[in-house]
Amino acid sequence: MSAAVQGLVAPNPPRAAGRAPALTFALRAVGPVLLLAAWYAATASGALTKDVLAGPQDVVKTFAELWADGQLPEALRVSVTRAGLGLVLGASTGLLLGVVSGFTRLGEELVDSSMQALRAIPFLALTSLFVVWFGIEEASKILLIGVACTFPMYVNVSSGVRNVDRKVVEAARSFGLGRLAIAREVVLPGALPSVFAGLRLATTLSVIALIAAEEINVTAGLGYLMARATDYLRTDILALCVLLYAVIGLLADLALRLVERMTMPWRRAVTLR
């Protein structure tokens, strides 16, 4: 990309003062710590019995046991692989279709109406059909997650592409860039905020869809551990798996935030101290 066009797309990052990292971390930790304390107090006092919900100390003990015998690492590997493959499939499809729909009028006319109609179908309603079409192996699970991730990516990318400043596009044309070069060098960088917004939503949905997909006759993964725990009323394992699903989603979102901050340093939220 030429320097002039790059300057139009990516402004210099502003200088902004923020809180000390330690204070920010402490403020963000207040809510989770209070929830953990309330959970421990409720189970320790007997207000919540073990057959309703195991205490955090029991969950930690179960985590250590399952990790030591190898069940938990294998279950995490299988579940993260399913979610990751589905996310890559869905996000790539949504990105491609979003650029096509947002970049040209013809693309919008060919793609948008179909995508909007399909988006109205809850992905959970497709579970039984996917089992019939693709069987009970990994393909049906990964495709279900992929479908769930496609639409938030598509909606955000197509909107972001349409909202790219047309003056920047015209400036790129004046520098002699062709249609594909403009899409690659101008439109996509200009739509990056929307791309990351769609990717974060898709990541969240990939975990939600993973939970649904792992209800399809699984023999491995966190869903399999939960199914076995349900049979034996092991609320400690159930609570552990729920927390691990949350941790997977949280870590993925934190990673995306880090990449977003490194990719777009000029986008720093303006907040009141």
Side-chain angles (χ1 to χ4, degrees):
M1 184 192 304
S2 66
V5 175
Q6 187 175 12
L8 286 170
V9 176
N12 292 325
R15 296 180 178 270
R19 291 191 179 93
L23 178 58
T24 299
F25 178 79
L27 290 173
R28 290 181 181 273
V30 168
V33 169
L34 289 177
L35 286 174
L36 183 62
W39 179 17
Y40 176 80
T43 53
S45 65
L48 282 177
T49 58
K50 187 175 291 189
D51 60 334
V52 175
L53 181 62
Q57 68 278 10
D58 297 319
V59 173
V60 171
K61 180 181 178 182
T62 300
F63 173 85
E65 292 173 352
L66 292 177
W67 189 272
D69 66 17
Q71 292 186 65
L72 195 54
E74 177 62 17
L76 281 171
R77 183 192 66 79
V78 172
S79 291
V80 170
T81 300
R82 285 173 182 152
L85 290 175
L87 176 62
V88 170
L89 175 64
S92 301
T93 304
L95 177 65
L96 176 62
L97 293 176
V99 171
V100 170
S101 175
F103 192 52
T104 65
R105 178 65 62 86
L106 177 62
E108 180 181 4
E109 292 171 349
L110 290 175
V111 173
D112 189 65
S113 58
S114 299
M115 291 298 291
Q116 296 299 338
L118 292 172
R119 188 167 70 93
I121 302 174
F123 71 88
L124 292 176
L126 300 174
T127 304
S128 298
L129 271 178
F130 275 35
V131 171
V132 173
W133 292 343
F134 307 109
I136 59 175
E137 302 303 325
E138 292 299 301
S140 60
K141 302 173 181 61
I142 292 171
L143 287 172
L144 182 65
I145 297 170
V147 168
C149 297
T150 297
F151 298 108
M153 195 69 181
Y154 168 79
V155 170
N156 280 274
V157 171
S158 61
S159 176
V161 170
R162 291 190 192 103
N163 290 331
V164 171
D165 192 342
R166 295 303 163 189
K167 294 180 181 178
V168 179
V169 176
E170 293 302 324
R173 286 201 180 101
S174 70
F175 282 106
L177 272 69
R179 185 179 291 268
L180 289 178
I182 290 174
R184 183 181 65 252
E185 303 287 350
V186 178
V187 174
L188 276 178
L192 269 182
S194 296
V195 171
F196 276 105
L199 193 54
R200 289 179 64 187
L201 285 172
T203 301
T204 300
L205 275 176
S206 72
V207 179
I208 296 173
L210 172 66
I211 299 172
E214 292 194 329
E215 297 295 321
I216 305 174
N217 196 35
V218 289
T219 57
L222 293 177
Y224 178 63
L225 286 182
M226 292 188 74
R228 290 179 56 193
T230 302
D231 292 338
Y232 294 99
L233 302 179
R234 291 288 303 274
T235 59
D236 52 344
I237 297 179
L238 290 173
L240 174 61
C241 291
V242 170
L243 290 174
L244 288 175
Y245 278 126
V247 169
I248 291 171
L250 180 61
L251 290 178
D253 188 69
L254 288 175
L256 284 174
R257 286 190 181 193
L258 179 61
V259 174
E260 182 179 8
R261 180 169 295 187
M262 295 170 61
T263 307
M264 300 181 296
W266 64 89
R267 279 181 57 86
R268 296 293 177 87
V270 179
T271 55
L272 296 177
R273 300 185 66 180

